[in-house]
Amino acid sequence: LMFALSLLLGTTITITSNHWIMAWAGLEINTLSILPLIAKSHHPRAIEAATKYFMTQATASALVLFSSMTNAWHTGQWDITQMTHTTSCLILTSAIAMKLGMVPFHFWFPEVLQGSPIITGLILSTIMKLPPIALLYMTSHSLNPTLLTLMAIMSAALGGWMGLNQTQIRKILAFSSISHLGWMAIIIPFSPKLTMLNFYLYVLMTSAIFLTMNTVKVLKLSTLMTSWTKAPALNTMLLLTLLSLAGLPPLTGFLPKWLIIQELTKQNMAPTAIIISLLSLLGLFFYLRLAYCATITLPPHTTNHMKQWHTYKPTSTLIAISIVMSIMLLPISPMIPIIL
């Protein structure tokens, strides 16, 4: 409870601060409170994950502090929105990319997620991404669009490409997260609110998937194949949620992709929109593979896996709400221009 509260405290401090030192302090509180949650199981892999996480986050925090100090040295401003020095902006972009796990600073993220328990993995993929995204949002007007576009396209490409060969579900979800970060980063210089919309919907869909995996206690594809007997209805909804995360119409996940492509076209960046749309097809392949394993395949008779008992434990309301929202929110799209 203490660590969860300090996690919320760190996130709140970073989001609500105007001063760089406060934002940095919030990021540090966040990092220190998630470490015990990663290393909770005392498994060597969990300890390794916690160490990797600490080292990358500490480096990124140092870079955030360095960029804000350089900016303050040149401009006399500690205000987050007054980030005007060019070199500081470049260093800040790299630091936040490292915090988020964007390419080329993505190596730690799949490893850390693989070493963490499922619920900690959910926190790492969702809540822990909020403070860096909030910092990006607040400094979006002064960031370099070329660098962000380049990193976004690399993230979409590598996130899709490296997820193809994975059998561990947490690693697949980590690469899925990296490719989604590409979509968020590409649009932030032009429409920061669209980035936030994409982030909220991504959090919603990822939470639904992680909570479902936690309910059926599945960690890899081979056990996912036999889990349909445990909770058939939940697995069927998992199929739709995975397709929504892939961005297929008429599901919720299509909404941010559609709006981002529209905005990129308005900014005369149609080639970029085409490239990132084609790269999202790589992600579609592994989402379909997960969906296929979850629902469509009956396990072959030669497998060593026993069929699992049907559990009559009722599904939690949280999972039900998040799954319904991650499938059926597309009809709200006419309201989005009013919000944006």
Side-chain angles (χ1 to χ4, degrees):
L1 182 65
M2 191 177 79
F3 292 129
L5 287 174
S6 49
L7 199 70
L8 290 172
L9 174 73
T11 306
T12 315
I13 288 174
T14 304
I15 293 168
T16 53
S17 58
N18 288 319
H19 196 286
W20 272 116
I21 297 290
M22 283 297 285
W24 171 79
L27 289 171
E28 285 298 296
I29 292 169
N30 249 0
T31 304
L32 293 173
S33 56
I34 193 78
L35 284 172
L37 299 178
I38 298 173
K40 193 169 60 174
S41 64
H42 300 298
H43 189 276
R45 184 167 282 166
I47 306 297
E48 183 193 342
T51 312
K52 282 179 179 170
Y53 184 77
F54 174 72
M55 291 176 81
T56 47
Q57 297 299 313
T59 311
S61 292
L63 281 175
V64 166
L65 205 54
F66 177 59
S67 71
S68 55
M69 282 169 68
T70 315
N71 187 63
W73 179 269
H74 283 276
T75 62
Q77 281 284 357
W78 279 102
D79 195 326
I80 291 180
T81 51
Q82 304 293 322
M83 195 77 169
T84 46
H85 188 245
T86 322
T87 316
S88 300
C89 289
L90 291 174
I91 296 170
L92 178 73
T93 311
S94 310
I96 291 181
M98 201 183 286
K99 280 253 169 227
L100 288 168
M102 275 172 68
V103 175
F105 309 106
H106 65 289
F107 295 102
W108 63 273
F109 190 52
E111 299 296 324
V112 169
L113 216 62
Q114 180 58 31
S116 314
I118 283 199
I119 296 298
T120 310
L122 169 62
I123 294 171
L124 282 170
S125 305
T126 54
I127 301 171
M128 295 303 286
K129 294 237 181 338
L130 186 53
I133 291 263
L135 288 178
L136 269 185
Y137 179 82
M138 287 189 272
T139 54
S140 58
H141 53 276
S142 51
L143 298 175
N144 184 343
T146 318
L147 176 67
L148 277 169
T149 307
L150 193 66
M151 283 166 83
I153 287 176
M154 288 198 307
S155 295
L158 268 155
W161 187 39
M162 292 176 78
L164 294 178
N165 206 21
Q166 303 295 334
T167 55
Q168 297 286 342
I169 290 171
R170 283 171 294 182
K171 273 197 175 172
I172 292 178
L173 288 169
F175 287 117
S176 138
S177 178
I178 292 167
S179 62
H180 273 271
L181 282 171
W183 281 88
M184 290 175 218
I186 203 163
I187 201 66
I188 201 149
F190 313 110
S191 175
K193 285 184 179 171
L194 206 47
T195 297
M196 295 313 287
L197 174 76
N198 192 347
F199 177 69
Y200 297 142
L201 292 178
Y202 160 75
V203 164
L204 186 68
M205 295 181 286
T206 306
S207 304
I209 290 172
F210 268 105
L211 291 169
T212 305
M213 297 300 176
N214 187 50
T215 306
V216 291
K217 296 285 179 281
V218 164
L219 294 174
K220 45 185 195 289
L221 286 178
S222 53
T223 47
L224 183 62
M225 282 186 183
T226 55
S227 72
W228 64 274
T229 47
K230 243 183 185 179
L234 193 58
N235 268 31
T236 312
M237 297 312 277
L238 176 64
L239 164 82
L240 289 171
T241 314
L242 284 163
L243 295 182
S244 180
L245 197 58
L248 291 186
L251 303 164
T252 306
F254 177 60
L255 175 61
K257 286 191 165 61
W258 175 28
L259 291 170
I260 287 171
I261 289 168
Q262 186 182 340
E263 185 63 35
L264 286 173
T265 321
K266 279 185 198 164
Q267 302 288 342
N268 296 324
M269 291 175 69
T272 315
I274 290 167
I275 291 167
I276 202 163
S277 308
L278 289 174
L279 289 172
S280 71
L281 291 175
L282 289 167
L284 177 62
F285 178 81
F286 61 73
Y287 292 126
L288 281 174
R289 197 159 133 225
L290 269 174
Y292 187 71
C293 287
T295 50
I296 301 166
T297 50
L298 295 179
H301 297 300
T302 51
T303 55
N304 299 327
H305 296 293
M306 296 287 286
K307 277 210 179 74
Q308 307 202 25
W309 284 96
H310 192 314
T311 50
Y312 288 101
K313 194 174 69 175
T315 308
S316 78
T317 321
L318 183 63
I319 300 181
I321 293 169
S322 57
I323 285 180
V324 168
M325 286 176 74
S326 47
I327 293 169
M328 299 178 77
L329 281 190
L330 191 65
I332 67 159
S333 49
M335 291 163 60
I336 301 295
I338 304 164
I339 304 164
L340 299 180

